[in-house]
Amino acid sequence: MTLWNGVLPFYPQPRHAAGFSVPLLIVILVFLALAASFLLILPGIRGHSRWFWLVRVLLSLFIGAEIVAVHFSAEWFVGRVNTNTSYKAFSAARVTARVGLLVGLEGINITLTGTPVHQLNETIDYNEQFTWRLRENYAAEYANALEKGLPNPVLYLAEKFTPSSPCGLYHQYHRAGHYASATLWVAFCFWLLSNVLLSTPAPLYGGLALLTTGAFTLFGIFAFASISSVPLCPLRLGSAVLTAQYGAAFWVTLATGILCLFLGGAVVSLHYVRPSALRTLLDQSAEDCSQAKGGSPLILGNPLHKQAALPDLKFITTNL
């Protein structure tokens, strides 16, 4: 006989496979719909400018989609390890599983997948999220996980990120994610502004807005990278140690920032060195650019308006 007659005192619930982030999926679908809409009208653009518009619009959509999508990605700081570890509290049972830690701007995801998935008469496939964004209480979510009786590896990693943990990971990652998210939203606003300005007869300001977009994107990268100077607490799971490193979202955002700086610098350089080539790339006429530079005054006249003729005083006589 064992305590509770062999039944563990946990809240039973069906486990589901790790799913895809719904906000991230929505962002991807929105930008794919915009790209598909542009491709439908692309055959209506004549000449070689069709390919210039294709590259220009798709690059712009990629930059905007990436800046928004990384807010909802958990792959900024990623670590995975295969280990043999205890499964749940009050039990000596052990499982062989792959444990993953994914840190994002708004929280962490902890995955636990058995190898094989079916062990101990149970499907071991967990994906638990703990968030620290606005109006979310990480400590309350951790307490709720304790009540659910989640597996030991999940609770162990989640406990390391609690506000009361001596590791201090919560404050470091929460602060870094907050500043990175804020600067990326500013970069998104400048991306919108750059698209508007590049469609005007003054592309120089569009290039400057694109440079600012790249600068704020890199500021977000540096804000999150500031946590790298803080040593991570040793995360021991059974006989293995989990080590984390920068993930795909971090590197893609870094590449996007560099791309914005390159494109913005190219627009500014062409504006001063070869303005005709810039007009060709942006499909603008020389008259529009000359008006933007102030080369010729803009004269507005009404052809229907006729000035009143003054009377001829020679033929005016006065009879007294």
Side-chain angles (χ1 to χ4, degrees):
M1 292 294 292
T2 59
L3 186 62
W4 306 101
N5 293 325
V7 179
L8 300 180
F10 302 121
Y11 295 91
Q13 59 179 0
R15 304 309 308 166
H16 302 283
F20 197 77
S21 174
V22 176
L24 181 60
L25 180 61
I26 293 175
V27 171
I28 294 175
L29 290 179
V30 168
F31 279 90
L32 284 179
L34 293 175
S37 301
F38 172 75
L39 292 177
L40 288 177
I41 65 174
L42 184 63
I45 303 176
R46 298 180 179 179
H48 296 289
S49 60
R50 175 187 306 172
W51 307 111
F52 293 134
W53 275 100
L54 176 65
V55 175
R56 175 183 171 183
V57 172
L58 292 184
L59 271 179
S60 180
L61 288 177
F62 167 76
I63 293 173
E66 195 279 334
I67 293 176
V68 178
V70 292
H71 286 85
F72 309 104
S73 174
E75 296 197 4
W76 280 78
F77 208 62
V78 180
R80 293 182 176 89
V81 66
N82 294 317
T83 183
N84 183 274
T85 179
S86 60
Y87 184 45
K88 288 189 176 181
F90 310 112
S91 174
R94 302 180 69 86
V95 295
T96 302
R98 181 174 177 82
V99 184
L101 173 64
L102 299 90
V103 182
L105 301 183
E106 297 182 341
I108 64 173
N109 272 66
I110 302 174
T111 61
L112 176 67
T113 306
T115 52
V117 176
H118 299 284
Q119 299 182 46
L120 304 177
N121 295 325
E122 186 177 345
T123 300
I124 303 175
D125 194 357
Y126 291 80
N127 182 10
E128 302 296 330
Q129 183 181 31
F130 301 88
T131 57
W132 51 57
R133 58 175 175 261
L134 297 178
R135 299 185 302 273
E136 298 290 346
N137 190 337
Y138 185 95
E141 292 185 3
Y142 175 70
N144 189 29
L146 289 174
E147 293 180 358
K148 289 180 180 179
L150 294 180
N152 278 350
V154 176
L155 295 177
Y156 171 78
L157 293 177
E159 189 273 335
K160 292 292 184 180
F161 286 85
T162 55
S164 58
S165 174
C167 291
L169 298 179
Y170 173 84
H171 301 286
Q172 294 294 334
Y173 282 88
H174 183 200
R175 189 178 298 110
H178 175 75
Y179 290 132
S181 178
T183 53
L184 285 176
W185 281 121
V186 175
F188 178 73
C189 294
F190 275 100
W191 170 77
L192 292 174
L193 183 61
S194 68
N195 284 278
V196 175
L197 294 176
L198 287 174
S199 301
T200 64
L204 172 63
Y205 303 105
L208 294 176
L210 201 55
L211 283 174
T212 308
T213 301
F216 275 99
T217 303
L218 294 181
F219 287 160
I221 286 292
F222 295 149
F224 191 84
S226 62
I227 63 175
S228 61
S229 59
V230 181
L232 190 67
C233 286
L235 304 177
R236 301 186 179 277
L237 297 165
S239 58
V241 177
L242 187 147
T243 57
Q245 56 188 356
Y246 294 120
F250 179 89
W251 296 114
V252 172
T253 307
L254 178 61
T256 302
I258 296 174
L259 177 63
C260 290
L261 291 180
F262 174 77
L263 294 177
V267 172
V268 174
S269 300
L270 288 176
H271 175 79
Y272 289 106
V273 178
R274 298 190 62 184
S276 60
L278 180 60
R279 289 195 299 269
T280 302
L281 289 175
L282 299 180
D283 197 23
Q284 293 180 352
S285 63
E287 295 178 358
D288 294 337
C289 294
S290 62
Q291 289 181 5
K293 292 180 180 180
S296 60
L298 182 62
I299 300 176
L300 299 177
N302 188 355
L304 300 179
H305 176 72
K306 297 182 179 179
Q307 296 182 351
L310 295 176
D312 193 355
L313 298 178
K314 292 181 180 179
F315 303 99
I316 298 178
T317 59
T318 303
N319 297 322
L320 296 176

